[in-house]
Amino acid sequence: MPKIGMEPLRRRALIDATISAIGERGSLDVTMSEIAGRAGVSSALAHHYFGAKDELLFATMRHILAELNADTRRALRLAATPRQRVSAVVAVSFSDDQFQPETIASWLAFYVEAQQSSALRRLLRVYARRLNSNLMSGLTGILPRAEADRIAEATAALIDGLYIRRALKDGVPNAQSAIALVEDYLETKLSGRSLP
């Protein structure tokens, strides 16, 4: 069994602590000292690994996106039909790994901060392009491209909108309800189509 060095473990602990701190605070208004304390390391070590707080925030967003991308790719490999590909993308968006209060709050905080940060704005554009591409990978097997593009755009807006709505509520996120809302929209748009 390969050993994992301390640096990757500490970097991951700092990223997890960042997500936790943002989730609790509901904003990016957290300090490196606070994050380091949550991760069980010194502020100096946090600065050593990431430099400034902005770099840690950027690394955290990249981590969230990488996890989402890996989960989506695994789900798409298991989908046998175009329609199953679309449902797989929706299900991953609201999976237990993704649709957690801390992660939801982090997404909302990153969306807000992206208005000021070109680096975060670029990452969010990557996310939007990937989501569209993943949805289109199924929808173009069912619909003409222009129609598939409109439905992909609306589906992505529903997914993002449900994250925003969830961030504004207290309590445990209800993934099944969110999935059902998106699937209802898709069924309405795809009913009567010959689905492979």
Side-chain angles (χ1 to χ4, degrees):
M1 184 168 174
K3 283 188 171 182
I4 298 175
M6 286 306 292
E7 182 174 345
L9 290 176
R10 286 183 177 148
R11 289 176 69 87
R12 176 60 192 263
L14 284 161
I15 286 170
D16 290 343
T18 302
I19 293 168
S20 172
I22 292 168
E24 187 176 295
R25 182 81 42 89
S27 79
L28 299 182
D29 187 25
V30 293
T31 65
M32 282 292 265
S33 177
E34 179 183 352
I35 292 166
R38 285 175 184 260
V41 301
S42 69
S43 291
L45 194 59
H47 283 286
H48 169 74
Y49 287 138
F50 291 102
K53 183 178 93 169
D54 287 349
E55 292 172 39
L56 176 55
L57 296 175
F58 184 79
T60 301
M61 189 69 213
R62 282 185 45 199
H63 170 78
I64 290 171
L65 287 172
E67 293 282 310
L68 177 61
N69 189 44
D71 291 349
T72 302
R73 290 173 59 181
R74 273 191 296 278
L76 287 174
R77 279 195 297 273
L78 299 174
T81 67
R83 181 64 178 93
Q84 287 175 359
R85 289 181 73 80
V86 177
S87 288
V89 174
V90 172
V92 166
S93 296
F94 299 105
S95 70
D96 289 342
D97 291 334
Q98 299 298 328
F99 205 53
Q100 292 296 315
E102 297 84 14
T103 306
I104 292 167
S106 294
W107 272 105
L108 189 60
F110 284 123
Y111 265 106
V112 170
E113 186 65 21
Q115 304 306 304
Q116 312 299 322
S117 166
S118 59
L120 288 178
R121 192 164 39 254
R122 279 193 303 275
L123 282 180
L124 288 173
R125 283 187 184 128
V126 167
Y127 156 73
R129 282 194 303 270
R130 278 188 191 153
L131 179 56
N132 182 271
S133 174
N134 289 330
L135 289 167
M136 290 293 283
S137 76
L139 289 169
T140 54
I142 303 167
L143 302 165
R145 184 157 192 89
E147 193 174 350
D149 196 45
R150 278 194 310 276
I151 292 173
E153 181 71 22
T155 303
L158 279 170
I159 291 168
D160 290 345
L162 287 165
Y163 266 74
I164 292 167
R165 290 184 67 151
R166 179 63 253 163
L168 301 174
K169 295 182 180 178
D170 291 328
V172 178
N174 186 336
Q176 293 311 310
S177 172
I179 291 169
L181 280 170
V182 179
E183 287 291 341
D184 283 350
Y185 165 76
L186 288 166
E187 280 305 309
T188 300
K189 291 298 184 182
L190 300 176
S191 65
R193 306 285 181 163
S194 57
L195 300 180

